Amino acid sequence: MEKLPRRAACLCVISEADNLLSALIDAETGQRGYLLTGDEAFLQPYLAVRDNIRGRLESCVNRP
């Protein structure tokens, strides 16, 4: 029975890491768009990730 909670926790970590990767890809795409066009609107995804990445990383690492 102990395997089920561990499996659920593992799936949570994988899901959180997947969401973080998706956000990082969006940030990179926005950064690239800004560099190509100079339009600051492209920086919004980058700024959103930059401001909360530490908390999201800690959430992945500090899961029980």
Side-chain angles (χ1 to χ4, degrees), residues 18-60:
D18 189 47
N19 291 337
L20 179 57
L21 177 60
S22 180
L24 289 170
I25 290 170
D26 290 346
E28 180 185 23
T29 301
Q31 201 173 29
R32 188 180 315 115
Y34 171 72
L35 291 172
L36 291 172
T37 66
D39 184 352
E40 291 186 10
F42 284 104
L43 289 177
Q44 292 308 315
Y46 165 77
L47 295 173
V49 171
R50 181 197 68 183
D51 293 342
N52 69 16
I53 192 167
R54 184 175 309 266
R56 292 178 80 170
L57 283 171
E58 288 174 0
S59 148
C60 284

